[in-house]
């Protein structure tokens, strides 16, 4: 059973790696295999009998593969036609989730019932954002007492503008499009605030909407009782699984201390609640003779505990860890009712099968692997052991097993692991699971304000202790992204370390980690360079790597008060590449699309020096030397020449110049090609640079093999004269998908193409990697698109 469940899950996993969804006609291959298997059932002595088990495993694998294919084909077919993107569409439907409050409005899921706009087509399940007109002043902070304008279960008529699911695509980055498919969000969009939007019905009666309505009542209660409390978002996450109100700083704290798993509905919380209800129901049932004669107390208690787990899972939003625990408890309860004995690995395999059966996209979720992996490691470490250890020793052994067992997965998925995790969890697990969560649930469900506040005070104590751990030096091991194959020897090493005492040479298990730790990403050779133009949406960030140095040019935009490209894209990329220090950091100019992630990068990554055209020397990091950029600055790293060609030193005294026209313009020259970074300069600066070239006043030729189009392809830049002067073989536009500025402008793209320049766009191609290798001829470089290289069947092709 265990092998068959794993084969089914592996089949679903293989489907999620496919660049194109395979045809379901291939599923017909299952029929002859199934017939062969049936024929072999009664074969006992012939050599063909040995084929029964391998064929059964193959059938299970193919069943998982084509089951996932079928569900994917159904879900993919419910899509927004590209011709209706960004166009006003009038729809009628129901608010299908609790509204997530944002700084400038709210966001919620919406089930479309009817499309009123003639000829328009929309998916049934979409995500809508509403931007409150009064919120465009100072953005509102999280954890404030605000009530959502749109309530779960209400039927509304909206005028909306929709987009197909589209996210940034970068190495080591988050795949929003995969997440949207798994969550069955088939389009995203916004509500036109000035349109004739109207509520048609106060509540639509449906089981799903009733659950969301209850969740909304709980959310509003927590928000009002704990208004203004900095950790109220954590209480909300523990009670109902909504972590949208947890601040970025708190997430960083949990990540650095290895306690992230506790700040959402985890299996431990559900097991704890189910166990409490089981014990209470069993006690009451045993002391009621009339009930005991009708049904044994253990069966009644199991039923009550199971019911409590189901209710809590529904209130929690039914995430993967929640599902895994719920299905495991169901299997245990069923075994108790039927009197059957099941080993833990059988229970785990059944839960694994059921999760993937209902949600084949769970296999691409980090939570799926971490939650099942943790239980599997504990089962291996403590299953079939002789005797019982003292509770204190057992708790230490549990911490050790989970900590060492999760290291390979954490390093593969996040390139980091908390060193203080065992100690932080030893304090946080009892506090969160046995004090904070029960009190928060009791205070939320029974409307007991003082109990909810008591839960918050206990949480405040836990956060104080975690902050103390966070102040310790070097509490996080961070490293490069290891090749996926290194997970196998590391896992074997972990299993060897977790063998029982008495097994000789268990220390050899540590050797399994060596490939994961020692095999690093290959750096360019001397004279070569690797340039990665990151996909940061509407903005710019470029990483330049030479043999022993790394330069970052711009750090992308600021998405909200809680999020920026530095944290979400730039730093994960740098760490995945094995960069532990930036030798140089250039911020082209004072525009949030370019400097929005600067503070995060400076705060979390050592930087040798900072060049920028920012108005004043900043105090972002006292250890970083900050200098204004100006033409004439030059340095050579590992045989690669870096030269600043603009702005003039006098530009900083010219009040008429805009920030765009003070952008740091940098040319990088290697043995096999050159690269020009132009920031957001506009036509006047372009003309000035051309004039310098013609008067022999320029420090270096403008002609370049590759360039970043100035100002994202704005019509105020990329003059004909400038393009003719540079003669780029490749031009890269960095812009957000369907951005409100309509960058890059069609006429600008045509202008480059008419001069035989190849075009790549970050919104269409994702991150773009350029390898300038000395063995290539001059101007011969390799350009690869991450969206093409890492294509999956749910990605759009441009």
């Amino acid at each position: 059973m265990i092998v068959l469940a794993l084969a089914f899950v592996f089949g679903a996993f293989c489907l999620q790696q496919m660049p194109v969804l395979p045809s379901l006609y291939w599923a017909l291959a299952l029929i002859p295999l199934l017939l062969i298997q049936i024929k072999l059932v009664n074969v006992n002595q012939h050599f063909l009998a040995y084929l029964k088990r391998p064929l059964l495993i193959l059938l299970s694998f193919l069943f998982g593969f084509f089951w996932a294919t079928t569900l994917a084909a159904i879900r993919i077919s419910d899509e927004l036609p590209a011709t209706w993107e960004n166009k006003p569409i009038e729809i009628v439907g129901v608010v299908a989730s609790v509204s997530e409050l944002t700084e400038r409005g709210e966001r919620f899921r919406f089930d479309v019932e009817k499309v009123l706009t003639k000829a328009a087509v929309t998916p049934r399940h979409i995500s809508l954002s509403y931007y409150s007109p009064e919120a465009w002043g100072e953005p509102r902070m999280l954890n404030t007492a605000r009530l959502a304008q749109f309530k779960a279960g209400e039927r509304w008529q909206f005028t909306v503008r929709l987009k197909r699911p589209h996210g940034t695509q970068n190495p080591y980055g988050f795949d929003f499009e995969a997440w949207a498919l798994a969550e069955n969000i088939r389009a995203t969009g916004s509500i036109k605030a000035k349109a004739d939007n109207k509520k048609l019905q106060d509540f639509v009666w449906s089981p799903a909407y009733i659950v969301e309505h209850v969740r909304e009542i709980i959310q509003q209660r927590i928000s009002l009782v704990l208004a203004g409390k900095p950790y109220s978002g954590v209480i909300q996450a523990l009670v109902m699984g909504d972590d949208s109100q947890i601040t970025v700083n708190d997430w960083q704290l949990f990540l650095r201390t290895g306690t992230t798993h506790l700040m959402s509905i985890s299996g431990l919380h559900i097991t704890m609640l189910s166990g409490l209800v089981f014990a209470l129901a069993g006690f009451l049932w045993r002391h009621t003779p009339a009930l005991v004669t009708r049904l044994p107390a253990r069966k009644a208690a199991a039923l009550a505990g199971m019911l409590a787990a189901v209710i809590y899972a529904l209130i929690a939003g039914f995430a993967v860890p929640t599902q895994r625990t719920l299905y495991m408890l169901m299997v245990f309860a069923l075994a108790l009712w039927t009197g059957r004995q099941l080993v833990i690995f059988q229970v785990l395999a059944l839960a694994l099968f059921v999760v993937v059966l209902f949600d084949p996209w769970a296999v691409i979720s980090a939570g799926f692997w971490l939650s099942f992996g943790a239980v599997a490691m504990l089962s291996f470490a403590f299953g079939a052991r002789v005797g019982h250890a003292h509770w204190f020793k057992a708790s230490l052994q549990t911490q050790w097993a989970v900590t060492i067992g999760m290291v390979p997965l954490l390093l593969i998925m996040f390139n980091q692991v908390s060193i203080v995790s065992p100690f932080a969890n030893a304090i946080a697990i009892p506090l969160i699971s046995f004090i904070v969560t029960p009190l928060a649930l009791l205070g939320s469900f029974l409307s007991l304000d003082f109990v909810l506040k008591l839960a918050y005070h206990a949480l405040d104590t836990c956060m104080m202790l975690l902050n103390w751990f966070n102040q310790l030096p070097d509490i996080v091991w961070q490293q490069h992204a290891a090749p996926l194959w290194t997970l196998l020897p590391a896992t074997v090493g972990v299993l060897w370390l977790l063998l029982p005492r008495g097994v000789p040479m268990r220390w050899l298990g540590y050797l399994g980690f060596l490939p994961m730790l020692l095999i690093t990403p290959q750096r360019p050779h001397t004279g070569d360079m690797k340039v990665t133009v990151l996909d940061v949406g509407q903005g710019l960030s470029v990483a330049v790597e030479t043999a022993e140095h790394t330069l970052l040019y711009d750090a992308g935009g600021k998405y909200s008060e809680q999020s920026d490209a530095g944290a979400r894209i730039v730093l994960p990329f740098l760490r995945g590449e094995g960069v532990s220090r930036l030798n140089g950091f250039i911020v082209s100019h004072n525009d949030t699309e370019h400097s929005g992630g600067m503070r995060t990068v400076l705060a979390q990554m050592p930087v040798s020096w900072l060049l920028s055209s920012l108005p004043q020397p900043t105090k972002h990091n006292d250890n970083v030397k900050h200098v204004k950029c100006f033409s004439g600055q030059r340095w050579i790293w590992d045989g690669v020449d870096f030269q600043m060609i603009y702005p003039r030193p006098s530009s900083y005294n010219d009040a008429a110049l805009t920030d765009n026209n003070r952008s740091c313009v940098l040319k990088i020259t290697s043995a096999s090609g050159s690269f020009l970074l132009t920031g957001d300069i506009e036509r006047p600066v372009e003309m000035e640079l051309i004039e310098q070239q013609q008067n022999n006043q320029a420090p270096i030729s403008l002609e370049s093999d590759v360039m970043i189009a100035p100002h994202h392809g704005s019509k105020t830049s990329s003059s004909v004269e400038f393009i003719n002067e540079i003669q780029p073989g490749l031009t890269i536009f960095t812009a957000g998908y369907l951005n409100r500025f309509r960058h890059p402008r069609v006429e600008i793209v045509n202008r480059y193409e008419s001069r035989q320049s190849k075009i790549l766009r970050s919104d269409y191609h994702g991150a773009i990697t350029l390898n300038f290798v000395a063995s290539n001829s001059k101007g011969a470089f390799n350009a690869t698109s991450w969206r093409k290289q890492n294509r999956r069947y749910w990605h759009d092709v441009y």
Side-chain angles (χ1 to χ4, degrees), residues 114-132:
K114 187 186 301 183
V115 180
L116 302 180
T117 302
K118 186 178 180 180
V121 178
T122 71
R124 170 157 171 76
H125 304 289
I126 63 178
S127 174
L128 292 177
S129 296
Y130 176 76
Y131 301 102
S132 177

Side-chain angles (χ1 to χ4, degrees), residues 157-186:
Q157 178 178 320
F158 291 133
T159 299
V160 300
R161 290 182 183 270
L162 300 176
K163 298 179 183 179
R164 297 166 66 90
H166 187 100
T168 57
Q169 289 287 317
N170 297 281
Y172 324 114
F174 175 66
D175 189 344
F176 169 79
E177 293 160 54
W179 175 86
L181 181 67
E183 293 292 321
N184 200 14
I185 297 175
R186 302 303 300 132

